[in-house]
Amino acid sequence: MSYLVGQVADVAGVTVRTLHHYDEIGLLVPGERSRAGHRRYADADLDRLQQILFYRELGFPLDEVAALLDDPGADPQEHLRRQHELLSTRIEKLRRMAAAVEHAMEARRMNVRLTPEEKFEVFGDFDPDAHAAEAERRWGGTDPYKESQRRTAAYTKEDWQRLKEEFDALHQKMAGLLARGVPAESEAAMDVAEEHRRFIGRGYYECSYEMHTGLGEMYVADERFTATYEAIRPGLAVYLRDAMLANAVRNA
């Protein structure tokens, strides 16, 4: 069975002009001609075209493709083995490139301009990716979220380190009150909750009391956030939530 040049072009995803060019340079000469002189391609021609397109996809110039395919000692199976190896190498390289691009996209979305090493150094066991993703899901279209994105876009490693140290100090202060049995509704606990709210206002966005109590509820409802606070002190997530709510009521 043989095929017209237009049929081969459609099947192979190339142009008729490309097939004409391959014929003219001797790379792919159709095995048959019609009585009218039209090119007709046999199955063997299609096999050769497949090999050509494989090598072209791998970046080989046409003269090298011709040399490879016309090597009298070449085994068709060896061509496939070589192409499989080259394609596998390219796939792995592209996979790494895709992972790098994905990381860059995530870093840009988070507006955290840190290397992975710096990020680990700054945040430790705290997972800013999870927090940023959840914040975007909950408040992505709000003015406070946009304000946070605007501010943090310019933060350096030193800025993030400073913020983390301030935040850690607040958590330790609240954990100390919990350890001493000080009620979450006490003046001392509410004062720390107010410091917490103002810290968010200085570092990220203007945080109303309503939004602050919403954050407190999230610390308890979302296990990722709960785990962060429970690792500091068992019961801290609920204690912090209650202190934040009490502080909001106090300032209503």
Side-chain angles (χ1 to χ4, degrees):
M1 186 173 181
S2 62
Y3 308 88
L4 293 172
V5 65
Q7 293 175 304
V8 175
D10 288 340
V11 170
V14 298
T15 65
V16 169
R17 184 174 182 180
T18 294
L19 294 176
H20 287 176
H21 179 61
Y22 288 172
D23 184 6
E24 291 165 1
I25 65 175
L27 180 60
L28 178 64
V29 179
E32 302 176 19
R33 293 275 179 170
S34 69
R35 290 183 179 180
H38 297 145
R39 297 171 176 85
R40 297 197 68 90
Y41 294 81
D43 287 338
D45 299 324
L46 298 186
D47 288 342
R48 183 178 174 92
L49 176 59
Q50 183 186 53
Q51 296 297 316
I52 292 169
L53 296 180
F54 278 154
Y55 279 122
R56 290 296 287 156
E57 180 63 27
L58 289 164
F60 282 72
L62 291 178
D63 57 346
E64 289 188 26
V65 175
L68 286 167
L69 295 181
D70 294 335
D71 180 358
D75 179 0
Q77 184 68 19
E78 179 61 19
H79 279 300
L80 292 172
R81 186 202 63 76
R82 181 190 297 116
Q83 289 166 350
H84 182 271
E85 181 178 314
L86 291 170
L87 286 168
S88 296
T89 300
R90 171 176 280 194
I91 288 170
E92 176 59 23
K93 182 178 180 181
L94 290 173
R95 187 196 64 77
R96 292 197 300 268
M97 290 175 64
V101 171
E102 183 178 346
H103 176 79
M105 290 169 59
E106 181 68 8
R108 182 171 291 276
R109 184 183 67 77
M110 288 177 56
N111 289 315
V112 178
R113 298 180 180 180
L114 304 177
T115 66
E117 293 77 15
E118 288 175 330
K119 188 174 171 185
F120 180 80
E121 178 186 341
V122 170
F123 292 109
D125 293 332
F126 178 78
D127 184 2
D129 291 348
H131 288 62
E134 181 63 14
E136 183 173 15
R137 186 186 73 79
R138 289 173 180 257
W139 302 298
T142 65
D143 289 338
Y145 179 82
K146 294 175 183 176
E147 173 66 10
S148 176
Q149 293 292 92
R150 185 190 65 78
R151 290 194 200 179
T152 58
Y155 283 179
T156 64
K157 174 185 175 181
E158 289 71 26
D159 293 325
W160 286 111
Q161 186 68 53
R162 173 181 52 79
L163 288 170
K164 182 178 182 296
E165 290 173 357
E166 290 182 26
F167 215 24
D168 287 348
L170 285 172
H171 293 154
Q172 290 300 328
K173 188 181 294 188
M174 190 69 85
L177 294 175
L178 172 61
R180 297 197 300 273
V182 178
E185 297 79 10
S186 67
E187 291 291 326
M190 287 189 289
D191 287 347
V192 178
E194 179 63 16
E195 288 184 57
H196 184 279
R197 188 185 71 84
R198 292 180 179 178
F199 166 82
I200 294 172
R202 291 194 309 274
Y204 301 96
Y205 54 85
E206 291 303 318
C207 184
S208 67
Y209 289 103
E210 181 181 3
M211 289 190 68
H212 200 223
T213 57
L215 285 173
E217 292 297 336
M218 185 175 69
Y219 294 162
V220 175
D222 191 310
E223 61 184 14
R224 295 168 298 178
F225 289 84
T226 302
T228 297
Y229 293 107
E230 293 301 291
I232 299 171
R233 180 84 186 180
L236 182 59
V238 171
Y239 185 81
L240 180 57
R241 186 271 314 270
D242 291 347
M244 291 162 73
L245 177 59
N247 182 56
V249 172
R250 176 177 67 169
N251 290 277

